[in-house]
Amino acid sequence: AKKNKDSKTYSNYRDSLSRFKSIVGVKGELKFSEINRSLINKFHRLGNKKIGNEWSTATAQTYLGTIKTICTAAYDEEIIENPIPFKKEYKWRQFKRKDNYAPTNEEIYKLISNIKNIRHWQSVAIWLLGFTCRGLYPQDICDFDDEKLLNKKLESMEDFFLGGEVYIDHYRGKNVSPMFVRLFPITLSIIRRLKFSLIYTDLNETIGGKPIVTSIDNRINLVKYDRVEYAKKHKQFWRKFTDNFAKMGNKKINLLTPRKAFIQVANDITEIGYVNSQKLTGHKLQGVASKFYLNYKKFDTITEIDEMHWKVLEKFKVNFLFDKLINKLDDLTEGKVPK
């Protein structure tokens, strides 16, 4: 039940349930009595076909694993009389993406140089926003909310202009790994300009009959809609930004590559290395390292992560890229976008 789970875990459970129903062709409510070995096998069979095209192996495993967790909890809590007949193990097609492409700062600079209109600018700004937030994806950006804003003392941020050290307490993706992400002044500036530009280009866009773009009163949230219920429209909305990269001369870049770029840069910095790059980007950690997430909001841990975070941004020359990006926006709008 929702009351027994934190909001992020509940959201991930709901997402997995929605994917499960979509694959097996169930519309509307799915009852526990309808979940049987045949339905589960159907999901397994069709899910395997999606691996390599739309899903990774881990994604398929996560969706079915979450359904099993929900059903097991329902039996343990005596919501249902009999356990759901899951197999002990499901064999999934193993797939690793061959293309581990991580854009360089030179490639991002070239994109900026090739910006011709405001849509192009938004695409590069969203990419840079993801990078400055330690490799967050569009679905993470959708979950940004003022209620998640804290300062380094873990106090709520009441200042509308967000002065001082600003953080967002965020849970990333399917594995529900917590990230306490510093929103540096550059990041906040990108968010502000993106917000104003989206109000200009997408003010009349709606999903589910409601406006997509949030008002300027919401300090960090750019768009707001239920991305699980409207999964197809969610993909369509962000796809138009990805499509612009090819128009600017780079067919390989997309809005998932900021994380790959961030990890690549972090790995190349000797004092950071592989394990710390995984911590920075909210990946699952093995062995003793996994204890990191028990203390991720301790003052000393925050300080250590912030220092590594900034080193990656410096190495990627984010200040330089930001200046060029803002200059391009000023040229496009004749300086009319508020600072």
Side-chain angles (χ1 to χ4, degrees):
K2 183 176 181 178
K3 64 182 180 181
N4 295 326
K5 299 292 180 184
D6 63 69
S7 60
K8 188 62 184 179
T9 301
Y10 172 74
S11 177
N12 285 330
Y13 279 17
R14 194 172 62 132
D15 187 16
S16 291
L17 180 59
S18 176
R19 305 294 182 188
F20 182 88
K21 288 165 55 180
S22 175
I23 293 300
V24 298
V26 173
K27 295 182 179 180
E29 185 180 79
L30 174 63
K31 298 178 181 179
F32 283 111
S33 60
E34 297 172 325
I35 304 176
N36 51 37
R37 178 66 65 86
S38 176
L39 193 69
I40 297 166
N41 286 346
K42 181 179 180 180
F43 177 85
H44 179 234
R45 183 178 71 257
L46 296 177
N48 256 325
K49 291 181 179 180
K50 281 188 169 289
I51 293 175
N53 298 312
E54 299 178 42
W55 294 356
S56 66
T57 304
T59 294
Q61 290 172 324
T62 296
Y63 287 153
L64 186 57
T66 302
I67 298 302
K68 184 177 181 180
T69 298
I70 293 171
C71 292
T72 300
Y75 176 69
D76 290 343
E77 295 176 16
E78 300 182 347
I79 296 172
I80 55 177
E81 292 184 5
N82 300 307
I84 306 294
F86 286 85
K87 294 179 183 178
K88 287 186 178 180
E89 184 178 354
Y90 289 88
K91 292 184 178 180
W92 294 100
R93 177 185 168 200
Q94 296 302 306
F95 173 79
K96 291 185 178 180
R97 298 187 186 279
K98 295 180 181 179
D99 184 8
N100 226 3
Y101 170 63
T104 64
N105 55 356
E106 289 88 356
E107 287 173 300
I108 300 305
Y109 173 64
K110 188 174 181 179
L111 281 178
I112 295 172
S113 301
N114 290 337
I115 289 174
K116 303 299 183 190
N117 55 54
I118 195 68
R119 283 299 193 195
H120 290 176
W121 184 90
Q122 289 170 338
S123 297
V124 182
I126 291 167
W127 194 98
L128 200 60
L129 172 60
F131 185 88
T132 63
C133 290
R134 294 169 21 199
L136 293 187
Y137 286 171
Q139 57 261 39
D140 298 301
I141 294 171
C142 283
D143 291 341
F144 277 18
D145 193 273
D146 281 8
E147 293 180 357
K148 297 181 179 181
L149 289 172
L150 298 171
N151 62 22
K152 198 170 183 177
K153 295 180 181 179
L154 309 185
E155 300 167 333
S156 177
M157 295 294 296
E158 302 296 339
D159 174 21
F160 180 81
F161 294 102
L162 299 176
E165 296 176 311
V166 183
Y167 297 83
I168 183 167
D169 194 12
H170 178 69
Y171 282 77
R172 182 186 76 79
K174 304 179 192 71
N175 60 8
V176 199
S177 295
M179 295 173 68
F180 198 62
V181 181
R182 175 79 185 273
L183 302 181
F184 288 102
I186 280 180
T187 307
L188 293 171
S189 185
I190 293 173
I191 290 173
R192 281 195 297 271
R193 287 170 168 85
L194 266 173
K195 179 178 281 291
F196 281 112
S197 73
L198 287 169
I199 288 173
Y200 173 74
T201 57
D202 295 82
L203 182 62
N204 297 320
E205 291 292 319
T206 61
I207 289 181
K210 297 180 180 179
I212 297 175
V213 180
T214 57
S215 74
I216 57 173
D217 293 331
N218 193 312
R219 293 170 291 180
I220 63 167
N221 183 255
L222 297 174
V223 292
K224 192 172 184 65
Y225 54 85
D226 190 323
R227 62 181 176 83
V228 175
E229 182 177 357
Y230 300 104
K232 185 175 180 179
K233 290 185 179 295
H234 166 75
K235 287 184 178 179
Q236 289 173 343
F237 177 76
W238 292 98
R239 182 71 192 179
K240 64 188 178 188
F241 299 111
T242 292
D243 289 345
N244 283 324
F245 295 123
K247 297 174 184 176
M248 288 182 275
N250 191 321
K251 294 181 179 180
K252 295 176 69 177
I253 197 169
N254 58 50
L255 294 179
L256 303 184
T257 53
R259 182 175 301 163
K260 293 179 180 179
F262 192 95
I263 290 173
Q264 183 64 60
V265 176
N267 285 340
D268 289 344
I269 299 174
T270 304
E271 56 267 45
I272 295 180
Y274 176 77
V275 173
N276 283 324
S277 74
Q278 300 299 293
K279 293 178 183 177
L280 283 163
T281 50
H283 280 83
K284 285 185 177 180
L285 301 169
Q286 303 298 320
V288 177
S290 64
K291 294 183 179 179
F292 164 77
Y293 289 116
L294 299 176
N295 303 308
Y296 79 103
K297 284 197 288 190
K298 275 192 162 185
F299 190 89
D300 290 346
T301 302
I302 294 171
T303 300
E304 180 183 7
I305 290 294
D306 282 355
E307 289 175 355
M308 290 189 286
H309 182 180
W310 185 249
K311 283 180 181 178
V312 174
L313 300 192
E314 281 190 317
K315 182 80 172 179
F316 203 71
K317 298 182 179 179
V318 161
N319 276 324
F320 171 78
L321 295 174
F322 172 77
D323 288 342
K324 297 300 179 184
L325 189 65
I326 298 309
N327 289 340
K328 184 65 72 168
L329 180 63
D330 288 341
D331 290 343
L332 290 171
T333 64
E334 298 179 351
K336 292 179 181 178
V337 174
K339 304 296 183 184

